[in-house]
């Protein structure tokens, strides 16, 4: 069958398995139906973020009513229906299974504007869509291209190694699509710095990016890593500033080596002594640098903690900003809710952790009795408490001048200096709780376990003030 323009009408059917039929003949269309129309789609591809929605639009030219038209959105074939409007209503039962419950047709029937909203855009939704309009006298179609995109996770930036008389800074992020642009910039944000190495890996359709920069001196001052999704015209960035003193420590062995080379003029026996001394110092220096790097990596996962007043023992007084606790001798009158500790002088952090890496620091001063670490959210709050992994606690304590970790054997820690602050690092997936002395950047102790529930920061103060400290990744 042909219309009065000579164009062959496409057979349409409400059911792809039934015999094809033409558009309903019993309708009395408005006069505009006898006019020839065109379908106009967007000039550029439509970009949608994975997990969000896409809006695909078409319109008729000249504008005319679409109320009595057959409107079909399809993909690979005429019967691969994304959304169908026919007989003045949506034909939901005719959709392909992967689109059922995910589409909505937004129409302005008067001016011939139609938009298809696709919710929860997934990997398989990328491609070309066709919007098809048919009246009893005419039909036209247009194509709309949909591109998917994903803005990756917040950047993680850290120092991963000291090598070749310098340090290597690593910037990484995951969850990008398509492959993003990567650039390092100097402090002014304008001049780019060439990356030493950049690699990408694809996992489950998304891209993980790792880019590193090797710096032998602090020539750039503050530097920033930028990862950009060109399709979305959005980027993530993170900056780092490394103290000059750290470079001096890394490169100190060069001076030692120069002195060693001069020593070839010294008698052989003394040369051997100098070589052994040099190697021993170099080993110690590298070990010290490695420990400091490990501590600094942890600080990149610093979290902003606050104390939970609903868990605080009635003798504990919280500061207004909920960053500090002190112990009063008078028991406050507080609601005895199930969350509150009623015997031990304890309080928990407001934040609960079920994944990821987290770091915080607590100032203990010269307090002679405190316990710090993490505990399960479900720990016993009433009566006496066993502060050990068996009881759901992973902590370090100072008890009457002695530092010890609370393992099953209650092994004391041998420390030359008592820390005035304690850094706590939780790596949930790795099952690790680590403790550090921020004063000398040293490692104190590690717990290893398998975590399954929510963990919360734990504080115990025996009549000494404790304060959660602000943490800067690099000082």
């Amino acid at each position: 069958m042909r219309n009065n323009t000579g164009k062959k009408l496409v057979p349409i059917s409400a059911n792809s398995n039934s015999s094809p039929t033409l558009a309903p003949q019993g309708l009395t269309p408005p006069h505009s139906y006898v006019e020839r129309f065109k379908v106009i789609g967007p000039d550029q591809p439509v970009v949608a973020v994975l997990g969000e929605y896409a809006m695909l639009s078409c319109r008729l030219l000249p504008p005319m009513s679409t109320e009595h038209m057959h409107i079909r959105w399809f993909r690979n074939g005429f019967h691969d229906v994304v959304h169908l409007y026919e007989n003045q209503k949506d034909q939901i039962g005719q959709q392909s299974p992967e689109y059922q419950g995910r589409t909505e047709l937004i129409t302005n029937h008067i001016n011939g504007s139609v938009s298809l909203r696709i919710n929860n855009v997934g990997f398989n939704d990328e491609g070309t869509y066709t919007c098809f309009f048919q009246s009893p006298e005419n039909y036209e179609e247009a194509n709309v291209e949909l591109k998917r995109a994903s803005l990756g996770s917040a950047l993680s930036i850290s120092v991963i190694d000291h090598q070749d008389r310098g340090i290597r800074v690593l910037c990484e992020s995951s969850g990008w699509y398509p492959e993003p642009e990567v650039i390092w910039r100097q402090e002014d944000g304008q001049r780019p710095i060439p990356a030493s190495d950049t690699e990408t890996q694809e996992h489950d359709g998304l891209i993980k990016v790792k880019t590193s920069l090797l710096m032998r001196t602090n020539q750039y001052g503050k530097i920033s890593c930028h990862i950009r999704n060109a399709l979305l015209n959005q980027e993530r960035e993170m900056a780092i500033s490394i103290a000059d003193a750290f470079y001096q420590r890394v490169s100190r062995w060069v001076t030692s080596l120069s002195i060693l080379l001069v020593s070839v003029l010294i008698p052989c026996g003394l040369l051997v002594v100098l070589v052994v001394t040099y190697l021993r110092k170099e080993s110690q220096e590298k070990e010290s640098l490695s420990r400091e790097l490990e501590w600094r990596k942890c600080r990149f996962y610093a979290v902003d903690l606050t104390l939970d007043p609903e868990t605080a023992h009635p003798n504990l007084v919280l500061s207004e900003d909920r960053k500090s606790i002190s112990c009063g001798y008078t028991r406050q009158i507080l609601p005895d809710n199930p969350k509150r500790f009623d015997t031990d002088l304890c309080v928990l952090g407001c934040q609960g952790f079920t994944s990821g890496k987290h770091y915080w620091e607590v100032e203990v001063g010269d307090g002679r009795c405190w316990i710090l670490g993490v505990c399960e959210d479900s720990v016993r709050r009433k009566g006496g408490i066993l502060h050990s992994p068996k009881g759901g606690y992973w902590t370090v304590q100072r008890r009457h001048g002695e530092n010890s970790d609370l393992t099953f054997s209650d092994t004391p820690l041998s420390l030359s200096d008592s820390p005035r602050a304690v850094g706590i690092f939780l790596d949930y997936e790795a099952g690790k709780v680590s403790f550090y002395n921020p004063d000398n950047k040293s490692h104190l102790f590690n717990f290893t376990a398998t975590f399954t529930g929510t963990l919360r920061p734990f504080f115990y103060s025996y009549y000494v003030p404790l304060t959660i400290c602000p943490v800067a990744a690099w000082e």
Side-chain angles (χ1 to χ4, degrees):
M1 179 178 180
R2 296 180 181 271
N3 63 10
N4 57 7
T5 64
K7 181 180 289 185
K8 184 178 179 182
L9 287 174
V10 174
I12 59 179
S13 171
N15 188 328
S16 61
N17 296 321
S18 64
S19 301
T21 61
L22 296 177
Q25 299 298 312
L27 298 175
T28 304
H31 178 72
S32 59
Y33 273 9
V34 301
E35 298 179 23
R36 186 170 183 178
F37 57 81
K38 292 184 178 180
V39 181
I40 308 299
D43 296 331
Q44 301 293 328
V46 175
V47 179
V49 177
L50 284 167
E52 299 186 9
Y53 71 89
M55 192 71 76
L56 312 182
S57 300
C58 287
R59 59 188 175 88
L60 297 184
L61 193 66
M64 62 183 65
S65 175
T66 61
E67 183 178 1
H68 298 282
M69 285 190 178
H70 172 102
I71 304 172
R72 176 184 297 237
W73 286 85
F74 62 90
R75 290 195 64 180
N76 302 316
F78 194 73
H79 295 294
D80 183 12
V81 177
V82 178
H83 196 100
L84 177 62
Y85 173 87
E86 189 178 32
N87 297 328
Q88 297 180 258
K89 64 180 181 180
D90 295 318
Q91 304 293 334
I92 304 301
Q94 305 305 313
Q95 288 180 288
S96 297
E98 61 268 30
Y99 291 101
Q100 291 181 359
R102 289 204 298 132
T103 64
E104 178 184 359
L105 198 64
I106 303 171
T107 62
N108 186 329
H109 286 304
I110 295 176
N111 66 10
S113 174
V114 174
S115 296
L116 175 70
R117 175 174 172 138
I118 303 176
N119 295 315
N120 193 22
V121 172
F123 291 102
N124 297 328
D125 290 330
E126 185 172 74
T128 300
Y129 293 74
T130 301
C131 55
F132 174 89
F133 293 74
Q134 182 167 350
S135 71
E137 301 296 333
N138 192 21
Y139 72 89
E140 280 289 351
E141 64 184 39
N143 291 332
V144 182
E145 186 178 1
L146 174 62
K147 289 185 176 292
R148 57 183 167 93
S150 178
L151 187 67
S153 62
L155 307 190
S156 169
I157 191 168
S158 59
V159 174
I160 59 171
D161 199 5
H162 52 91
Q163 60 181 41
D164 199 15
R165 292 172 295 169
I167 61 173
R168 184 174 294 276
V169 181
L170 173 68
C171 176
E172 55 186 332
S173 177
S174 58
W176 294 85
Y177 188 86
E179 185 171 322
E181 301 171 356
V182 178
I183 194 168
W184 293 84
R185 292 190 180 277
Q186 298 186 40
E187 186 171 8
D188 57 15
Q190 299 299 319
R191 289 168 292 176
I193 309 169
S196 301
D197 183 43
T198 298
E199 65 177 71
T200 58
Q201 298 175 344
E202 185 173 338
H203 179 67
D204 291 337
L206 296 175
I207 295 171
K208 181 176 182 179
V209 181
K210 289 185 178 180
T211 178
S212 64
L213 185 67
L214 179 62
M215 297 186 294
R216 292 183 173 85
T217 64
N218 201 7
Q219 55 184 314
Y220 302 122
K222 186 177 182 180
I223 60 171
S224 56
C225 174
H226 300 251
I227 302 182
R228 179 175 179 270
N229 187 313
L231 266 182
L232 296 174
N233 195 25
Q234 296 182 50
E235 71 172 33
R236 295 196 185 275
E237 65 174 292
M238 191 171 187
I240 183 174
S241 180
I242 305 174
D244 290 330
F246 193 70
Y247 285 93
Q248 294 168 6
R249 292 185 63 200
V250 172
S251 58
R252 192 179 300 164
W253 70 273
V254 178
T255 303
S256 302
L257 182 59
S258 300
I259 296 174
L260 182 59
L261 292 175
V262 174
S263 69
V264 295
L265 303 176
I266 300 175
C268 189
L270 181 56
L271 177 60
V272 172
V273 173
L274 289 173
V275 169
V276 171
T277 302
Y278 162 74
L279 292 177
R280 182 181 293 118
K281 287 184 176 180
E282 183 187 31
S283 176
Q284 293 172 347
E285 183 69 16
K286 284 186 176 181
E287 184 178 350
S288 175
L289 281 170
S290 295
R291 288 196 302 267
E292 182 173 342
L293 282 173
E294 178 187 344
W295 171 73
R296 290 188 181 276
K297 289 179 189 178
C298 295
R299 289 168 66 92
F300 276 103
Y301 299 96
V303 291
D304 185 18
L305 288 187
T306 53
L307 300 168
D308 183 358
E310 291 190 350
T311 66
H313 185 279
N315 279 77
L316 294 179
V317 180
L318 275 60
S319 63
E320 186 174 347
D321 62 0
R322 298 182 182 178
K323 296 286 187 180
S324 301
I325 54 174
S326 57
C327 197
Y329 291 93
T330 302
R331 190 180 182 95
Q332 303 172 86
I333 300 175
L334 298 172
D336 187 18
N337 63 71
K339 299 179 181 180
R340 191 178 306 282
F341 292 91
D342 67 351
T343 301
D344 286 10
L345 301 173
C346 307
V347 62
L348 301 183
C350 287
Q351 292 76 4
F353 305 121
T354 57
S355 64
K357 300 176 182 178
H358 313 276
Y359 178 86
W360 61 97
E361 291 179 1
V362 182
E363 183 180 345
V364 298
D366 56 1
R368 311 238 347 137
C369 191
W370 45 259
I371 305 176
L372 296 170
V374 300
C375 69
E376 295 175 345
D377 188 42
S378 59
V379 292
R380 177 182 175 183
R381 314 287 177 92
K382 308 300 182 182
I385 296 170
L386 177 63
H387 299 110
S388 75
K390 186 176 181 179
Y393 294 83
W394 294 268
T395 60
V396 163
Q397 72 170 357
R398 188 180 187 198
R399 183 175 54 199
H400 306 299
E402 178 186 78
N403 294 283
S404 66
D405 65 278
L406 294 178
T407 62
F408 293 118
S409 57
D410 201 14
T411 306
L413 296 175
S414 177
L415 301 176
S416 56
D417 297 310
S418 295
R420 298 185 62 83
V422 177
I424 299 103
F425 177 64
L426 167 65
D427 186 342
Y428 193 97
E429 282 76 13
K432 181 188 293 186
V433 182
S434 303
F435 298 87
Y436 295 88
N437 181 351
D439 293 335
N440 58 18
K441 307 172 182 60
S442 64
H443 173 260
L444 299 177
F445 189 77
N446 275 342
F447 281 106
T448 56
T450 300
F451 304 129
T452 55
T454 301
L455 299 181
R456 296 178 67 179
F458 175 81
F459 307 81
Y460 172 97
S461 170
Y462 189 73
Y463 297 99
V464 295
L466 300 176
T467 302
I468 300 171
C469 308
V471 176
W474 291 89
E475 299 176 332

